[in-house]
mmCIF file of all heavy atoms in Angstrom:
data_model
loop_
_atom_site.group_PDB
_atom_site.id
_atom_site.type_symbol
_atom_site.label_atom_id
_atom_site.label_comp_id
_atom_site.label_asym_id
_atom_site.label_seq_id
_atom_site.Cartn_x
_atom_site.Cartn_y
_atom_site.Cartn_z
ATOM 1 N N ASN A 12 7.094 -47.212 15.398
ATOM 2 C CA ASN A 12 5.706 -47.544 15.101
ATOM 3 C C ASN A 12 4.981 -48.081 16.296
ATOM 4 O O ASN A 12 5.557 -48.725 17.065
ATOM 5 C CB ASN A 12 5.560 -48.482 13.948
ATOM 6 C CG ASN A 12 5.177 -47.873 12.631
ATOM 7 O OD1 ASN A 12 4.394 -46.947 12.579
ATOM 8 N ND2 ASN A 12 5.812 -48.316 11.582
ATOM 9 N N TYR A 13 3.688 -47.781 16.382
ATOM 10 C CA TYR A 13 2.841 -48.357 17.402
ATOM 11 C C TYR A 13 1.544 -48.814 16.753
ATOM 12 O O TYR A 13 0.857 -48.087 16.100
ATOM 13 C CB TYR A 13 2.537 -47.357 18.501
ATOM 14 C CG TYR A 13 1.606 -47.897 19.614
ATOM 15 C CD1 TYR A 13 2.210 -48.614 20.690
ATOM 16 C CD2 TYR A 13 0.292 -47.685 19.623
ATOM 17 C CE1 TYR A 13 1.430 -49.128 21.625
ATOM 18 C CE2 TYR A 13 -0.523 -48.233 20.597
ATOM 19 C CZ TYR A 13 0.059 -48.928 21.668
ATOM 20 O OH TYR A 13 -0.785 -49.451 22.691
ATOM 21 N N VAL A 14 1.175 -50.098 16.958
ATOM 22 C CA VAL A 14 0.013 -50.693 16.436
ATOM 23 C C VAL A 14 -0.689 -51.478 17.544
ATOM 24 O O VAL A 14 -0.036 -52.366 18.148
ATOM 25 C CB VAL A 14 0.244 -51.528 15.172
ATOM 26 C CG1 VAL A 14 -1.090 -52.070 14.602
ATOM 27 C CG2 VAL A 14 1.049 -50.807 14.136
ATOM 28 N N ALA A 15 -1.955 -51.208 17.738
ATOM 29 C CA ALA A 15 -2.659 -51.930 18.794
ATOM 30 C C ALA A 15 -4.163 -52.186 18.457
ATOM 31 O O ALA A 15 -4.769 -51.451 17.682
ATOM 32 C CB ALA A 15 -2.582 -51.151 20.107
ATOM 33 N N LEU A 16 -4.738 -53.205 19.042
ATOM 34 C CA LEU A 16 -6.119 -53.418 19.016
ATOM 35 C C LEU A 16 -6.768 -52.704 20.158
ATOM 36 O O LEU A 16 -6.369 -52.837 21.297
ATOM 37 C CB LEU A 16 -6.449 -54.940 19.172
ATOM 38 C CG LEU A 16 -7.898 -55.342 19.088
ATOM 39 C CD1 LEU A 16 -8.478 -55.176 17.709
ATOM 40 C CD2 LEU A 16 -8.036 -56.821 19.553
ATOM 41 N N ILE A 17 -7.712 -51.843 19.842
ATOM 42 C CA ILE A 17 -8.377 -51.004 20.873
ATOM 43 C C ILE A 17 -9.893 -51.264 20.865
ATOM 44 O O ILE A 17 -10.477 -51.835 19.954
ATOM 45 C CB ILE A 17 -8.118 -49.523 20.604
ATOM 46 C CG1 ILE A 17 -8.763 -49.046 19.249
ATOM 47 C CG2 ILE A 17 -6.624 -49.224 20.613
ATOM 48 C CD1 ILE A 17 -8.739 -47.545 19.075
ATOM 49 N N LYS A 18 -10.517 -50.830 22.001
ATOM 50 C CA LYS A 18 -11.921 -50.953 22.149
ATOM 51 C C LYS A 18 -12.539 -49.636 22.493
ATOM 52 O O LYS A 18 -11.993 -48.870 23.328
ATOM 53 C CB LYS A 18 -12.222 -51.968 23.324
ATOM 54 C CG LYS A 18 -13.702 -52.299 23.503
ATOM 55 C CD LYS A 18 -13.872 -53.343 24.564
ATOM 56 C CE LYS A 18 -15.332 -53.777 24.733
ATOM 57 N NZ LYS A 18 -15.550 -54.765 25.797
ATOM 58 N N TYR A 19 -13.619 -49.322 21.839
ATOM 59 C CA TYR A 19 -14.391 -48.100 22.120
ATOM 60 C C TYR A 19 -15.806 -48.522 22.235
ATOM 61 O O TYR A 19 -16.468 -48.977 21.310
ATOM 62 C CB TYR A 19 -14.197 -47.142 21.012
ATOM 63 C CG TYR A 19 -15.025 -45.811 21.171
ATOM 64 C CD1 TYR A 19 -14.673 -44.966 22.226
ATOM 65 C CD2 TYR A 19 -16.071 -45.544 20.373
ATOM 66 C CE1 TYR A 19 -15.403 -43.765 22.398
ATOM 67 C CE2 TYR A 19 -16.806 -44.367 20.492
ATOM 68 C CZ TYR A 19 -16.487 -43.457 21.532
ATOM 69 O OH TYR A 19 -17.174 -42.309 21.738
ATOM 70 N N PHE A 20 -16.405 -48.370 23.508
ATOM 71 C CA PHE A 20 -17.693 -48.962 23.808
ATOM 72 C C PHE A 20 -17.574 -50.442 23.533
ATOM 73 O O PHE A 20 -16.743 -51.190 24.019
ATOM 74 C CB PHE A 20 -18.833 -48.258 23.131
ATOM 75 C CG PHE A 20 -19.048 -46.920 23.666
ATOM 76 C CD1 PHE A 20 -18.554 -45.736 23.129
ATOM 77 C CD2 PHE A 20 -19.813 -46.755 24.874
ATOM 78 C CE1 PHE A 20 -18.814 -44.453 23.683
ATOM 79 C CE2 PHE A 20 -20.061 -45.493 25.416
ATOM 80 C CZ PHE A 20 -19.574 -44.393 24.842
ATOM 81 N N GLU A 21 -18.402 -51.020 22.630
ATOM 82 C CA GLU A 21 -18.410 -52.462 22.436
ATOM 83 C C GLU A 21 -17.734 -52.810 21.120
ATOM 84 O O GLU A 21 -17.706 -53.966 20.725
ATOM 85 C CB GLU A 21 -19.873 -52.985 22.435
ATOM 86 C CG GLU A 21 -20.575 -52.827 23.702
ATOM 87 C CD GLU A 21 -19.896 -53.460 24.891
ATOM 88 O OE1 GLU A 21 -19.371 -54.571 24.734
ATOM 89 O OE2 GLU A 21 -19.757 -52.806 25.926
ATOM 90 N N GLU A 22 -17.143 -51.822 20.413
ATOM 91 C CA GLU A 22 -16.530 -52.092 19.179
ATOM 92 C C GLU A 22 -15.003 -52.137 19.215
ATOM 93 O O GLU A 22 -14.468 -51.406 20.018
ATOM 94 C CB GLU A 22 -16.930 -51.031 18.071
ATOM 95 C CG GLU A 22 -18.457 -50.974 17.822
ATOM 96 C CD GLU A 22 -19.005 -52.285 17.157
ATOM 97 O OE1 GLU A 22 -18.240 -52.885 16.365
ATOM 98 O OE2 GLU A 22 -20.151 -52.617 17.444
ATOM 99 N N THR A 23 -14.409 -52.913 18.384
ATOM 100 C CA THR A 23 -12.903 -52.978 18.410
ATOM 101 C C THR A 23 -12.399 -52.370 17.055
ATOM 102 O O THR A 23 -13.072 -52.428 15.985
ATOM 103 C CB THR A 23 -12.401 -54.452 18.501
ATOM 104 O OG1 THR A 23 -12.977 -55.267 17.480
ATOM 105 C CG2 THR A 23 -12.730 -54.949 19.890
ATOM 106 N N TYR A 24 -11.222 -51.791 17.165
ATOM 107 C CA TYR A 24 -10.537 -51.153 16.008
ATOM 108 C C TYR A 24 -9.088 -51.402 16.074
ATOM 109 O O TYR A 24 -8.578 -51.820 17.142
ATOM 110 C CB TYR A 24 -10.860 -49.682 15.953
ATOM 111 C CG TYR A 24 -12.318 -49.297 15.888
ATOM 112 C CD1 TYR A 24 -13.054 -49.120 17.061
ATOM 113 C CD2 TYR A 24 -12.942 -49.185 14.675
ATOM 114 C CE1 TYR A 24 -14.413 -48.830 16.985
ATOM 115 C CE2 TYR A 24 -14.309 -48.883 14.641
ATOM 116 C CZ TYR A 24 -15.059 -48.685 15.770
ATOM 117 O OH TYR A 24 -16.393 -48.430 15.790
ATOM 118 N N VAL A 25 -8.332 -51.068 15.028
ATOM 119 C CA VAL A 25 -6.910 -51.091 15.077
ATOM 120 C C VAL A 25 -6.378 -49.639 15.068
ATOM 121 O O VAL A 25 -6.841 -48.855 14.205
ATOM 122 C CB VAL A 25 -6.287 -51.906 13.874
ATOM 123 C CG1 VAL A 25 -4.793 -51.699 13.839
ATOM 124 C CG2 VAL A 25 -6.687 -53.334 14.052
ATOM 125 N N LEU A 26 -5.481 -49.319 16.000
ATOM 126 C CA LEU A 26 -4.913 -48.031 16.111
ATOM 127 C C LEU A 26 -3.482 -48.044 15.635
ATOM 128 O O LEU A 26 -2.677 -48.946 16.078
ATOM 129 C CB LEU A 26 -5.006 -47.503 17.529
ATOM 130 C CG LEU A 26 -4.276 -46.173 17.831
ATOM 131 C CD1 LEU A 26 -4.972 -45.018 17.126
ATOM 132 C CD2 LEU A 26 -4.213 -45.887 19.377
ATOM 133 N N LYS A 27 -3.063 -47.159 14.792
ATOM 134 C CA LYS A 27 -1.662 -47.038 14.398
ATOM 135 C C LYS A 27 -1.142 -45.630 14.529
ATOM 136 O O LYS A 27 -1.779 -44.678 14.207
ATOM 137 C CB LYS A 27 -1.552 -47.421 12.868
ATOM 138 C CG LYS A 27 -0.075 -47.327 12.312
ATOM 139 C CD LYS A 27 0.020 -47.744 10.856
ATOM 140 C CE LYS A 27 1.455 -47.734 10.385
ATOM 141 N NZ LYS A 27 1.584 -48.098 8.957
ATOM 142 N N LEU A 28 0.070 -45.571 15.176
ATOM 143 C CA LEU A 28 0.748 -44.272 15.318
ATOM 144 C C LEU A 28 2.016 -44.341 14.545
ATOM 145 O O LEU A 28 3.030 -45.026 14.924
ATOM 146 C CB LEU A 28 1.104 -44.014 16.809
ATOM 147 C CG LEU A 28 -0.019 -43.522 17.747
ATOM 148 C CD1 LEU A 28 -1.185 -44.423 17.830
ATOM 149 C CD2 LEU A 28 0.519 -43.251 19.128
ATOM 150 N N PRO A 29 2.108 -43.694 13.346
ATOM 151 C CA PRO A 29 3.314 -43.779 12.518
ATOM 152 C C PRO A 29 4.338 -42.721 12.967
ATOM 153 O O PRO A 29 4.635 -41.754 12.265
ATOM 154 C CB PRO A 29 2.733 -43.412 11.121
ATOM 155 C CG PRO A 29 1.571 -42.497 11.414
ATOM 156 C CD PRO A 29 1.001 -42.948 12.740
ATOM 157 N N SER A 30 4.984 -43.037 14.135
ATOM 158 C CA SER A 30 5.832 -42.012 14.758
ATOM 159 C C SER A 30 7.094 -41.709 13.988
ATOM 160 O O SER A 30 7.719 -40.677 14.203
ATOM 161 C CB SER A 30 6.153 -42.449 16.179
ATOM 162 O OG SER A 30 6.734 -43.740 16.172
ATOM 163 N N ASN A 31 7.569 -42.600 13.132
ATOM 164 C CA ASN A 31 8.777 -42.352 12.315
ATOM 165 C C ASN A 31 8.646 -41.117 11.495
ATOM 166 O O ASN A 31 9.605 -40.384 11.210
ATOM 167 C CB ASN A 31 9.147 -43.519 11.431
ATOM 168 C CG ASN A 31 10.466 -44.155 11.790
ATOM 169 O OD1 ASN A 31 11.061 -43.877 12.862
ATOM 170 N ND2 ASN A 31 11.007 -44.923 10.914
ATOM 171 N N GLU A 32 7.376 -40.782 11.140
ATOM 172 C CA GLU A 32 7.099 -39.662 10.325
ATOM 173 C C GLU A 32 7.474 -38.347 10.947
ATOM 174 O O GLU A 32 7.902 -37.437 10.270
ATOM 175 C CB GLU A 32 5.643 -39.621 9.966
ATOM 176 C CG GLU A 32 5.218 -38.493 9.087
ATOM 177 C CD GLU A 32 3.738 -38.652 8.663
ATOM 178 O OE1 GLU A 32 2.860 -38.786 9.609
ATOM 179 O OE2 GLU A 32 3.448 -38.564 7.468
ATOM 180 N N TYR A 33 7.321 -38.268 12.320
ATOM 181 C CA TYR A 33 7.675 -37.038 12.995
ATOM 182 C C TYR A 33 8.868 -37.233 13.958
ATOM 183 O O TYR A 33 9.253 -36.238 14.656
ATOM 184 C CB TYR A 33 6.423 -36.484 13.745
ATOM 185 C CG TYR A 33 5.582 -37.458 14.448
ATOM 186 C CD1 TYR A 33 5.800 -37.846 15.714
ATOM 187 C CD2 TYR A 33 4.473 -38.027 13.741
ATOM 188 C CE1 TYR A 33 5.011 -38.791 16.369
ATOM 189 C CE2 TYR A 33 3.645 -38.962 14.404
ATOM 190 C CZ TYR A 33 3.911 -39.323 15.677
ATOM 191 O OH TYR A 33 3.132 -40.183 16.280
ATOM 192 N N ARG A 34 9.450 -38.387 13.970
ATOM 193 C CA ARG A 34 10.622 -38.625 14.817
ATOM 194 C C ARG A 34 11.908 -38.352 14.077
ATOM 195 O O ARG A 34 12.889 -37.935 14.615
ATOM 196 C CB ARG A 34 10.616 -40.081 15.251
ATOM 197 C CG ARG A 34 11.663 -40.456 16.229
ATOM 198 C CD ARG A 34 11.455 -41.884 16.765
ATOM 199 N NE ARG A 34 11.772 -42.817 15.756
ATOM 200 C CZ ARG A 34 12.899 -43.582 15.743
ATOM 201 N NH1 ARG A 34 13.771 -43.375 16.626
ATOM 202 N NH2 ARG A 34 13.095 -44.429 14.766
ATOM 203 N N ILE A 35 11.866 -38.519 12.770
ATOM 204 C CA ILE A 35 13.059 -38.256 11.909
ATOM 205 C C ILE A 35 12.923 -36.823 11.330
ATOM 206 O O ILE A 35 11.977 -36.528 10.665
ATOM 207 C CB ILE A 35 13.128 -39.275 10.707
ATOM 208 C CG1 ILE A 35 13.143 -40.743 11.337
ATOM 209 C CG2 ILE A 35 14.260 -39.022 9.850
ATOM 210 C CD1 ILE A 35 12.981 -41.846 10.244
ATOM 211 N N PRO A 36 13.904 -35.989 11.663
ATOM 212 C CA PRO A 36 13.884 -34.613 11.329
ATOM 213 C C PRO A 36 13.544 -34.311 9.842
ATOM 214 O O PRO A 36 12.714 -33.483 9.571
ATOM 215 C CB PRO A 36 15.233 -34.072 11.697
ATOM 216 C CG PRO A 36 15.655 -34.951 12.790
ATOM 217 C CD PRO A 36 15.175 -36.303 12.415
ATOM 218 N N GLN A 37 14.189 -34.977 8.909
ATOM 219 C CA GLN A 37 14.022 -34.681 7.481
ATOM 220 C C GLN A 37 12.586 -35.084 7.050
ATOM 221 O O GLN A 37 11.944 -34.384 6.241
ATOM 222 C CB GLN A 37 15.086 -35.359 6.608
ATOM 223 C CG GLN A 37 15.180 -36.880 6.678
ATOM 224 C CD GLN A 37 16.163 -37.280 7.770
ATOM 225 O OE1 GLN A 37 16.331 -36.725 8.765
ATOM 226 N NE2 GLN A 37 16.797 -38.481 7.403
ATOM 227 N N ARG A 38 12.079 -36.174 7.656
ATOM 228 C CA ARG A 38 10.697 -36.552 7.273
ATOM 229 C C ARG A 38 9.718 -35.612 7.946
ATOM 230 O O ARG A 38 8.685 -35.244 7.339
ATOM 231 C CB ARG A 38 10.441 -38.016 7.758
ATOM 232 C CG ARG A 38 11.158 -39.025 6.903
ATOM 233 C CD ARG A 38 10.811 -40.420 7.269
ATOM 234 N NE ARG A 38 9.364 -40.680 7.012
ATOM 235 C CZ ARG A 38 8.790 -41.844 7.275
ATOM 236 N NH1 ARG A 38 9.489 -42.865 7.771
ATOM 237 N NH2 ARG A 38 7.512 -41.987 7.049
ATOM 238 N N LYS A 39 9.958 -35.163 9.129
ATOM 239 C CA LYS A 39 9.103 -34.231 9.799
ATOM 240 C C LYS A 39 9.059 -32.924 9.083
ATOM 241 O O LYS A 39 7.952 -32.318 8.875
ATOM 242 C CB LYS A 39 9.628 -33.992 11.257
ATOM 243 C CG LYS A 39 8.689 -33.044 12.076
ATOM 244 C CD LYS A 39 9.181 -32.978 13.523
ATOM 245 C CE LYS A 39 8.271 -32.121 14.338
ATOM 246 N NZ LYS A 39 8.640 -32.054 15.786
ATOM 247 N N PHE A 40 10.156 -32.435 8.568
ATOM 248 C CA PHE A 40 10.210 -31.174 7.817
ATOM 249 C C PHE A 40 9.324 -31.304 6.585
ATOM 250 O O PHE A 40 8.622 -30.345 6.208
ATOM 251 C CB PHE A 40 11.647 -30.869 7.379
ATOM 252 C CG PHE A 40 11.718 -29.658 6.527
ATOM 253 C CD1 PHE A 40 11.565 -28.367 6.997
ATOM 254 C CD2 PHE A 40 11.963 -29.791 5.106
ATOM 255 C CE1 PHE A 40 11.615 -27.298 6.190
ATOM 256 C CE2 PHE A 40 12.083 -28.697 4.273
ATOM 257 C CZ PHE A 40 11.870 -27.424 4.859
ATOM 258 N N LEU A 41 9.354 -32.416 5.907
ATOM 259 C CA LEU A 41 8.543 -32.643 4.678
ATOM 260 C C LEU A 41 7.038 -32.552 4.985
ATOM 261 O O LEU A 41 6.279 -32.327 4.065
ATOM 262 C CB LEU A 41 8.930 -33.939 4.054
ATOM 263 C CG LEU A 41 10.343 -33.998 3.366
ATOM 264 C CD1 LEU A 41 10.594 -35.404 2.851
ATOM 265 C CD2 LEU A 41 10.450 -32.919 2.159
ATOM 266 N N THR A 42 6.649 -32.832 6.242
ATOM 267 C CA THR A 42 5.197 -32.769 6.506
ATOM 268 C C THR A 42 4.675 -31.319 6.413
ATOM 269 O O THR A 42 3.447 -31.128 6.464
ATOM 270 C CB THR A 42 4.877 -33.337 7.903
ATOM 271 O OG1 THR A 42 5.477 -32.566 8.952
ATOM 272 C CG2 THR A 42 5.346 -34.782 8.031
ATOM 273 N N LEU A 43 5.534 -30.344 6.336
ATOM 274 C CA LEU A 43 5.125 -28.979 6.026
ATOM 275 C C LEU A 43 4.356 -28.923 4.734
ATOM 276 O O LEU A 43 3.453 -28.013 4.592
ATOM 277 C CB LEU A 43 6.365 -28.001 5.946
ATOM 278 C CG LEU A 43 6.961 -27.487 7.238
ATOM 279 C CD1 LEU A 43 8.254 -26.810 6.952
ATOM 280 C CD2 LEU A 43 5.953 -26.476 7.891
ATOM 281 N N PHE A 44 4.717 -29.838 3.869
ATOM 282 C CA PHE A 44 4.153 -29.745 2.488
ATOM 283 C C PHE A 44 3.219 -30.976 2.151
ATOM 284 O O PHE A 44 2.763 -31.029 1.034
ATOM 285 C CB PHE A 44 5.290 -29.696 1.480
ATOM 286 C CG PHE A 44 6.417 -28.804 1.852
ATOM 287 C CD1 PHE A 44 7.586 -29.307 2.316
ATOM 288 C CD2 PHE A 44 6.248 -27.381 1.700
ATOM 289 C CE1 PHE A 44 8.645 -28.425 2.732
ATOM 290 C CE2 PHE A 44 7.261 -26.502 2.055
ATOM 291 C CZ PHE A 44 8.458 -27.050 2.618
ATOM 292 N N LYS A 45 3.036 -31.803 3.147
ATOM 293 C CA LYS A 45 2.209 -33.033 2.929
ATOM 294 C C LYS A 45 1.114 -33.185 3.937
ATOM 295 O O LYS A 45 1.180 -32.599 5.017
ATOM 296 C CB LYS A 45 3.112 -34.264 2.994
ATOM 297 C CG LYS A 45 4.238 -34.316 1.934
ATOM 298 C CD LYS A 45 5.067 -35.624 2.096
ATOM 299 C CE LYS A 45 6.114 -35.781 1.050
ATOM 300 N NZ LYS A 45 6.843 -37.027 1.189
ATOM 301 N N ASN A 46 0.155 -33.956 3.575
ATOM 302 C CA ASN A 46 -0.930 -34.362 4.533
ATOM 303 C C ASN A 46 -0.471 -35.244 5.669
ATOM 304 O O ASN A 46 -1.044 -35.247 6.729
ATOM 305 C CB ASN A 46 -2.116 -35.044 3.861
ATOM 306 C CG ASN A 46 -2.901 -34.091 2.996
ATOM 307 O OD1 ASN A 46 -3.117 -32.935 3.334
ATOM 308 N ND2 ASN A 46 -3.432 -34.515 1.862
ATOM 309 N N GLY A 47 0.603 -36.016 5.342
ATOM 310 C CA GLY A 47 1.055 -36.987 6.338
ATOM 311 C C GLY A 47 0.449 -38.369 6.114
ATOM 312 O O GLY A 47 -0.520 -38.513 5.351
ATOM 313 N N GLU A 48 1.120 -39.414 6.690
ATOM 314 C CA GLU A 48 0.660 -40.769 6.410
ATOM 315 C C GLU A 48 -0.756 -41.045 6.766
ATOM 316 O O GLU A 48 -1.483 -41.735 6.044
ATOM 317 C CB GLU A 48 1.615 -41.764 7.159
ATOM 318 C CG GLU A 48 1.294 -43.204 6.913
ATOM 319 C CD GLU A 48 2.267 -44.134 7.626
ATOM 320 O OE1 GLU A 48 3.478 -43.773 7.831
ATOM 321 O OE2 GLU A 48 1.833 -45.252 7.913
ATOM 322 N N ALA A 49 -1.202 -40.609 7.936
ATOM 323 C CA ALA A 49 -2.539 -40.920 8.430
ATOM 324 C C ALA A 49 -3.608 -40.409 7.485
ATOM 325 O O ALA A 49 -4.496 -41.157 7.074
ATOM 326 C CB ALA A 49 -2.763 -40.411 9.863
ATOM 327 N N VAL A 50 -3.493 -39.107 7.138
ATOM 328 C CA VAL A 50 -4.511 -38.559 6.339
ATOM 329 C C VAL A 50 -4.499 -39.026 4.925
ATOM 330 O O VAL A 50 -5.514 -39.274 4.262
ATOM 331 C CB VAL A 50 -4.423 -36.946 6.338
ATOM 332 C CG1 VAL A 50 -5.458 -36.309 5.366
ATOM 333 C CG2 VAL A 50 -4.679 -36.443 7.764
ATOM 334 N N THR A 51 -3.235 -39.250 4.408
ATOM 335 C CA THR A 51 -3.077 -39.762 3.105
ATOM 336 C C THR A 51 -3.728 -41.117 2.913
ATOM 337 O O THR A 51 -4.375 -41.412 1.953
ATOM 338 C CB THR A 51 -1.541 -39.837 2.710
ATOM 339 O OG1 THR A 51 -0.970 -38.505 2.734
ATOM 340 C CG2 THR A 51 -1.330 -40.439 1.349
ATOM 341 N N THR A 52 -3.422 -41.982 3.894
ATOM 342 C CA THR A 52 -4.046 -43.316 3.876
ATOM 343 C C THR A 52 -5.547 -43.279 3.952
ATOM 344 O O THR A 52 -6.267 -43.942 3.154
ATOM 345 C CB THR A 52 -3.500 -44.203 5.035
ATOM 346 O OG1 THR A 52 -2.090 -44.188 5.067
ATOM 347 C CG2 THR A 52 -4.045 -45.592 5.056
ATOM 348 N N LEU A 53 -6.072 -42.460 4.844
ATOM 349 C CA LEU A 53 -7.537 -42.306 4.958
ATOM 350 C C LEU A 53 -8.149 -41.834 3.683
ATOM 351 O O LEU A 53 -9.136 -42.412 3.162
ATOM 352 C CB LEU A 53 -7.852 -41.289 6.099
ATOM 353 C CG LEU A 53 -9.341 -41.000 6.309
ATOM 354 C CD1 LEU A 53 -10.038 -42.138 6.895
ATOM 355 C CD2 LEU A 53 -9.464 -39.800 7.252
ATOM 356 N N LYS A 54 -7.537 -40.849 3.069
ATOM 357 C CA LYS A 54 -8.114 -40.290 1.836
ATOM 358 C C LYS A 54 -7.985 -41.236 0.627
ATOM 359 O O LYS A 54 -8.951 -41.482 -0.059
ATOM 360 C CB LYS A 54 -7.322 -38.990 1.495
ATOM 361 C CG LYS A 54 -7.852 -38.299 0.265
ATOM 362 C CD LYS A 54 -7.092 -37.007 0.016
ATOM 363 C CE LYS A 54 -7.554 -36.348 -1.284
ATOM 364 N NZ LYS A 54 -6.754 -35.047 -1.523
#
């Protein structure tokens, strides 16, 4: 996982990269049939 505080122009946000989702082969394969963590959380 990677989580950081980022800045874009004058605003700050939190950025998350859920890399375990595509680092582990069996989990990566399942993303064929899923939106994935990022889109699922957003939605």
Side-chain angles (χ1 to χ4, degrees):
N12 257 321
Y13 179 82
V14 182
L16 180 69
I17 64 171
K18 185 176 182 180
Y19 178 68
F20 287 98
E21 298 303 315
E22 299 295 327
T23 56
Y24 302 90
V25 172
L26 173 68
K27 181 179 182 181
L28 280 60
S30 54
N31 241 16
E32 180 175 52
Y33 41 88
R34 189 173 70 103
I35 302 172
Q37 59 268 34
R38 289 186 62 181
K39 184 174 182 178
F40 175 76
L41 290 174
T42 63
L43 277 169
F44 316 103
K45 297 181 177 181
N46 285 326
E48 181 178 332
V50 176
T51 297
T52 304
L53 177 68
K54 181 179 178 181

